[in-house]
Amino acid sequence: MTIATKIVDWAALGDVALISLAIGLTVTTTLAIAVRTALAAQDQSAEGNSGPALVNRVIAGLAVLAALSVFVLGIYEIAAK
Amino acid sequence: MSASRGTGNFTRVMSEDILFYLVVAVALAFDFTNGFHDTANSMATTIATGALKPKQAVTIAALLNFAGAFISLTVVATIAKGIVDATAITPSIIFAGLAGAIAWNLATWWFGIPSSSSHALIGGVVGATIVAVGTGAVKFDGIASKILVPAVIAPILAGLVALISTVVVYRIIKGIERNRAERGFKWAQIASSSTVALAHGTNDAQKTMGIIVLTMISTDRLPASGFDVPVWVIVACATAIALGTYTGGWRIIKTLGNDVTEVRAPQGFSSESVAATVILASSHFGYPLSTTQVVSGAVTGSGEARPGNKVDWSVIRRIVVGWALTLPAAAAAGGAAEGMVELFGEDNPAVGSLIVAVLGAIACFFLWRANQKSKVDPDSVVEFAPGPEPVAVAA
């Protein structure tokens, strides 16, 4: 066993890096999409396009729910340990 | 003869009681400094972008830190485990370690450096242990694996993820008028900052609970195994960290929210979301990273990624120097405190600890007086209001 493997848990570190990258990117992208679609829905409502506006609102709502549930799950994981 | 023995026993028990209550008081004082030192982690960018007013931000952070302290108790009684030989720890060593950690927390707060309170605590305990029983009781492998390596990894990992996330976010909102986009992201930013505050309370309040529980075990107030953490310990620690958070470490908030880089809502949202994710992921995989270092790295990464923005690398250098100094400086302070405890209380550590506590309180008073003269407060913490700038896409 080398000093590097002795003092660093490379497996755990790799998991943290991969999950952070994957979930971090997913959460920020999802919420950015939520903002984009919510603003688009506002514009479409103002223009009288209620159909597309409703679709965008639903997408925005689902995106917010998805991102928030990741945070809630994360906290739950800590609490459940 | 028996009267003299009776008096001796009474004095010993009194001394143990005094030392125990002193350790509890100093532990709660450390918890308080931990709170105000780390308010910036969750709320600096939120305050900087105007998503929340300073007082609103610290109130929410305080409430979530308080709530977070009740969520989990897994870290309790594991503090300093793997860092020093637990059988060598005495209440006076814990006291001296806490005194060293508080001293370093206050010093870094004074200079506005967001350093890790946990590293300060471990440094203080290590320094006090070395002075009390020698280097043989210190597990240097544990220090390398639990502090040094994570200290390098945390900011780099968070910085890289935040950098990529910010680039992606700005691509998604390309073409949207800036003020509209920022309004939307401010809500998202409040949610992500609140998650960081809750995670912080969950992790950091437990460290002080661990210290108090350790002291209770070492003074036979709790059994070494199969104990429940007393409710008063949980409530006291939650209250101390929440009060500290509410006080707001405005100097550090200014550094993270203003001095490192100019923060806009999409970028602040990106950095806090990534910070929350990295903190939660690292907790899940049992590889705890410093919240402070994660957030600092994320703020830097997102600042570097925002089109047309600059990061002040001289501030980053100052922060990194602070991180590098945290362990040795807190250890030196903890060692000095232990030396003073032994000097003033050769026969009775309670007396030495009491004298050190009084000297520490006097030093805190003078620091508070000095702070009144060059105060950073909620009104002065935000130095600029973000001016108009079209949302552009990263090159």
Side-chain angles (χ1 to χ4, degrees), chain A residues 6-7 36 43 77 81, chain B residues 141 145 172 174 283-284:
Chain A
K6 192 177 170 192
I7 64 172
R36 169 121 217 166
D43 293 341
E77 282 283 345
K81 269 189 180 179
Chain B
D141 277 2
S145 64
I172 290 171
K174 182 186 176 187
S283 294
H284 175 72

Side-chain angles (χ1 to χ4, degrees), chain B:
Chain B
M1 181 78 179
S2 67
S4 144
R5 191 180 300 141
T7 311
N9 274 343
F10 177 74
T11 309
R12 186 181 56 77
V13 171
M14 276 297 288
S15 297
E16 279 180 7
D17 281 349
I18 289 170
L19 192 52
F20 170 72
Y21 290 116
L22 201 56
V23 170
V24 170
V26 176
L28 293 176
F30 168 78
D31 207 20
F32 180 85
T33 66
N34 191 347
F36 82 72
H37 204 275
D38 292 2
T39 312
N41 291 345
S42 53
M43 290 300 166
T45 63
T46 314
I47 292 168
T49 61
L52 287 171
K53 291 191 172 112
K55 274 293 174 189
Q56 288 175 331
V58 295
T59 304
I60 290 173
L63 290 173
L64 290 169
N65 267 275
F66 184 84
F70 290 86
I71 286 178
S72 168
L73 298 171
T74 49
V75 182
V76 174
T78 64
I79 192 75
K81 188 181 173 188
I83 302 289
V84 293
D85 179 1
T87 58
I89 295 283
T90 63
S92 68
I93 292 176
I94 295 172
F95 167 83
L98 285 165
I102 291 173
W104 183 248
N105 261 1
L106 291 176
T108 48
W109 159 76
W110 179 259
F111 291 106
I113 296 171
S115 62
S116 167
S117 299
S118 310
H119 292 182
L121 177 59
I122 290 170
V125 171
V126 166
T129 306
I130 289 173
V131 169
V133 291
T135 53
V138 179
K139 298 175 179 174
F140 290 100
D141 277 2
I143 291 175
S145 64
K146 290 190 176 182
I147 298 178
L148 301 182
V149 175
V152 174
I153 288 163
I156 294 174
L157 175 65
L160 278 175
V161 180
L163 189 141
I164 297 168
S165 293
T166 308
V167 169
V168 171
V169 165
Y170 272 91
R171 279 193 185 276
I172 290 171
I173 61 171
K174 182 186 176 187
I176 299 175
E177 195 259 321
R178 203 202 88 199
N179 287 338
R180 290 187 73 204
E182 295 212 340
R183 269 198 301 277
F185 276 105
K186 280 176 182 174
W187 285 105
Q189 202 187 355
I190 292 168
S192 53
S193 297
S194 298
T195 309
V196 174
L198 192 65
H200 181 265
T202 306
N203 282 317
D204 281 36
Q206 286 188 69
K207 288 164 191 162
T208 310
M209 290 181 211
I211 286 288
I212 295 175
V213 164
L214 199 62
T215 313
M216 292 179 84
I217 292 170
S218 72
T219 54
D220 296 328
R221 286 174 167 82
L222 273 181
S225 60
F227 60 83
D228 287 324
V229 180
V231 174
W232 70 265
V233 173
I234 301 172
V235 172
C237 292
T239 306
I241 201 165
L243 284 175
T245 305
Y246 181 74
T247 307
W250 303 111
R251 290 172 185 273
I252 301 174
I253 289 174
K254 182 175 170 294
T255 300
L256 264 184
N258 278 330
D259 298 348
V260 170
T261 185
E262 187 187 2
V263 183
R264 296 280 164 82
Q267 164 200 354
F269 148 75
S270 183
S271 62
E272 289 294 341
S273 297
V274 167
T277 309
V278 173
I279 291 161
L280 295 176
S282 64
S283 294
H284 175 72
F285 287 104
Y287 199 89
L289 302 175
S290 156
T291 309
T292 307
Q293 291 174 343
V294 166
V295 173
S296 302
V299 168
T300 308
S302 66
E304 194 62 25
R306 180 161 70 81
N309 193 38
K310 280 183 184 164
V311 169
D312 187 340
W313 288 98
S314 67
V315 177
I316 300 297
R317 272 196 294 277
R318 195 160 60 91
I319 291 173
V320 171
V321 168
W323 291 349
L325 288 177
T326 293
L327 195 68
E338 175 62 25
M340 287 167 76
V341 168
E342 290 179 9
L343 182 71
F344 294 128
E346 199 175 352
D347 300 323
N348 190 340
V351 174
S353 301
L354 208 53
I355 292 172
V356 171
V358 170
L359 291 175
I362 292 169
C364 286
F365 173 74
F366 282 111
L367 191 67
W368 174 77
R369 285 275 300 270
N371 182 50
Q372 298 304 307
K373 289 177 186 162
S374 58
K375 205 171 182 181
V376 178
D377 56 23
D379 298 325
S380 60
V381 72
V382 182
E383 284 183 340
F384 58 85
E389 178 193 283
V391 171
V393 69

